[in-house]
Amino acid sequence: MHGFTDETEALGQAILSYAADRLRLDPVPLDGPRTPEQLDKVAGATITPGGMGGAAALRLFEEVLAPACLSIDHPRYLSFIPCAPTEEAAMFDLVVGASSIYGGSWLEGAGAVHAENQALRWIADLAGLPESAGGSFVQGGTIGNLSALVTARATARVRHTEQGRTGEGPRPWKVAATAGSHSSIASACHVMDAELVPVPVDEHWRMTGESLRAVLEQEGPETIFAVVATCGTTNFGVIDDLASVAEVCGEFGVWLHVDGAYGGAGLAAPSIRDRYAGVERADSFIVDPHKWLFAPFDCCALLYREPALARAAHTQKASYLDVITDRPEWNPSDYSVGLTRRARGLPLWFSLAANGTRAYTDAVERTLEVARFAEAEIERRDYVEQVHPAGLTVVVFRRLGWGPADYQEWSDGLLDRQEGFVVPTSHDGETLARFAIVNPLTREDDITAILGSMA
């Protein structure tokens, strides 16, 4: 099973051929899910004592299983937050998988960690973080947010103890965020047994320094170990007033975490860079390159202003790890939850190295152009109206006269006809339609076709 035989050679060529053919597809098929009963019927028992052989397993995947998966990189996949990796990033993911690299320590993966750190440095520079900033690539925004909040709590508790306040009630246990923050913030608080304190938003649906100050004064700033601001909420693309929030966090000495899982990629676009003023003051920051920076799943860049604080919070201690933890080199697993780690930042690094950063700027700007076009098209049509101005590339709108069943029937019809994948969303109890445009291959005529299907 671990030898390289003639059969292995043939299978390898077949897999490389499949991957190359998939990359050549233009456009890719949208495809769609099947029921468990349908898949059981056509796939049958796939795991058997004797095995079916690599060629048969690949054929089963190609003919049965892959078509039952939506192509997230389809230009009309406009739901949730899509993923549209560059060809270079997707191809290099094959190399990473084949290279058997452990990416958790410098000792074992120095070359990979060096490359990943250069990609992290590019992102840190976009955000305006200091030269000392650093971190790691983790699985996704959920783990990135959780890891940052674990660091924030550990740091706050050390400060609480150092200030001699151990007899003045419990250590800091609260996180402040808006209702628009990502669901992973509430999940992280649940995992950490922390209390999530809501911060009201202004008329633009943003957290502001003024609203945050009121919450801190009401709750007691000593009880809050982190404030989570968002640059690009998932449902609407709203960017909080980062500058005023950072000012208040600095005044009260509270950790500022900025969740840019989706929207942080907009830092690469000069046309909207001013909307992120204040992000450079974050204590921690995340952005998911597998969203709007064209890397494959799974890839979240987690950065800290002072990485030593994260290392103190996350480094795992064990005798068999002494050879790693007692060394001064950069070990990515020291900066997040989890020890075992693939070098998931390498596909992004390879694509950046191959294409150059200007290509990334151009691609992000292109998606912003299409989002602005979508807003104009909605304004032009009398049967739809936009719900909130698009802060980035998420456009939410209503079809006048429709209820929840109408939206669902329309969405199902689009997918059944392989015309697009646009699922409804909701806000304040109202069902709405939503475009999330992060694929540079999404064109204006894709938008007009989908809007036309609602007429």
Side-chain angles (χ1 to χ4, degrees):
M1 188 170 70
H2 284 84
F4 198 93
T5 65
D6 290 343
E7 183 179 356
T8 312
E9 172 71 28
L11 178 60
Q13 293 301 322
I15 288 175
L16 290 174
S17 177
Y18 174 84
D21 289 344
R22 175 59 173 78
L23 288 169
R24 290 190 191 102
L25 290 175
D26 185 19
V28 298
L30 185 57
D31 292 330
R34 302 291 183 269
T35 66
E37 294 76 18
Q38 289 172 329
L39 286 174
D40 283 340
K41 182 177 180 180
V42 294
T46 62
I47 309 298
T48 62
M52 67 173 68
L58 178 60
R59 187 163 55 250
L60 176 67
F61 177 78
E62 181 176 3
E63 297 175 359
V64 176
L65 303 179
C69 302
L70 278 160
S71 297
I72 313 300
D73 55 342
H74 191 282
R76 292 190 184 181
Y77 185 110
L78 299 173
S79 297
F80 312 117
I81 301 292
C83 173
T86 66
E87 284 73 15
E88 291 83 1
M91 286 188 285
F92 205 72
D93 212 21
L94 289 174
V95 175
V96 174
S99 297
S100 194
I101 296 171
Y102 172 65
S105 75
W106 185 272
L107 176 64
E108 296 160 284
V113 176
H114 175 80
E116 286 186 317
N117 283 348
Q118 291 199 357
L120 286 170
R121 185 66 255 164
W122 175 65
I123 294 171
D125 287 342
L126 289 178
L129 293 173
E131 283 296 321
S132 58
S136 175
F137 287 102
V138 298
Q139 295 96 312
T142 296
I143 296 299
N145 285 329
L146 174 61
S147 299
L149 291 177
V150 166
T151 302
R153 183 174 66 178
T155 302
R157 288 181 169 180
V158 167
R159 184 184 304 119
H160 181 83
T161 300
E162 289 176 345
Q163 292 173 349
R165 293 159 54 189
T166 53
E168 300 178 16
R171 294 179 292 175
W173 77 96
K174 298 178 184 178
V175 174
T178 70
S181 65
H182 193 263
S183 57
S184 62
I185 302 302
S187 176
C189 288
H190 177 73
V191 168
M192 299 172 69
D193 195 21
E195 180 181 337
L196 183 58
V197 178
V199 180
V201 296
D202 67 3
E203 66 274 18
H204 305 295
W205 303 359
R206 305 175 306 166
M207 178 194 295
T208 65
E210 181 181 3
S211 61
L212 176 61
R213 178 186 297 278
V215 168
L216 292 177
E217 291 177 345
Q218 177 179 334
E219 299 290 328
E222 71 281 356
T223 70
I224 294 177
F225 64 82
V227 170
V228 179
T230 307
C231 56
T233 58
T234 303
N235 212 22
F236 283 91
V238 174
I239 300 176
D240 287 331
D241 184 1
L242 302 177
S244 67
V245 169
E247 189 67 27
V248 171
C249 286
E251 178 184 339
F252 285 93
V254 178
W255 184 284
L256 172 59
H257 174 62
V258 176
D259 179 357
Y262 150 58
L267 289 163
S271 66
I272 59 170
R273 179 59 180 84
D274 62 319
R275 301 179 190 178
Y276 296 85
V279 68
E280 69 281 355
R281 298 182 63 180
D283 293 292
S284 54
F285 171 72
I286 69 161
V287 60
D288 287 354
H290 65 232
K291 289 187 167 73
W292 200 11
L293 284 177
F294 323 120
F297 294 118
D298 50 3
C299 182
C300 168
L302 166 62
L303 286 161
Y304 299 96
R305 172 177 295 277
E306 297 183 49
L309 299 176
R311 187 171 185 176
H314 289 288
T315 298
Q316 296 188 28
K317 302 290 187 180
S319 57
Y320 69 92
L321 295 175
D322 288 347
V323 68
I324 293 173
T325 56
D326 289 345
R327 297 165 67 103
E329 293 93 354
W330 194 274
N331 299 317
S333 60
D334 287 341
Y335 302 96
S336 67
V337 173
L339 182 62
T340 302
R341 179 183 180 274
R342 68 188 294 266
R344 59 176 46 85
L346 283 182
L348 172 66
W349 163 80
F350 185 78
S351 184
L352 283 167
N355 291 300
T357 59
R358 283 196 300 271
Y360 274 74
T361 291
D362 293 343
V364 173
E365 292 284 14
R366 172 61 183 149
T367 60
L368 288 162
E369 288 177 7
V370 175
R372 288 190 286 267
F373 174 84
E375 290 188 283
E377 278 295 293
I378 291 167
E379 176 68 24
R380 192 175 67 81
R381 298 166 188 255
D382 60 6
Y383 56 89
V384 288
E385 66 179 14
Q386 194 165 346
V387 176
H388 189 270
L392 297 169
T393 60
V394 171
V395 182
V396 182
F397 56 100
R398 62 174 57 89
R399 170 53 165 89
L400 300 176
W402 277 12
D406 300 301
Y407 283 101
Q408 194 61 58
E409 182 181 3
W410 164 75
S411 176
D412 292 343
L414 279 178
L415 184 57
D416 289 343
R417 298 188 302 272
Q418 293 287 283
E419 294 176 3
F421 183 61
V422 187
V423 298
T425 188
S426 63
H427 179 70
D428 282 347
E430 179 185 7
T431 302
L432 302 163
R434 173 182 173 276
F435 292 152
I437 303 164
V438 302
N439 189 337
L441 298 181
T442 301
R443 302 176 302 183
E444 286 81 356
D445 57 2
D446 295 315
I447 301 300
T448 56
I450 292 174
L451 288 175
S453 71
M454 304 179 91

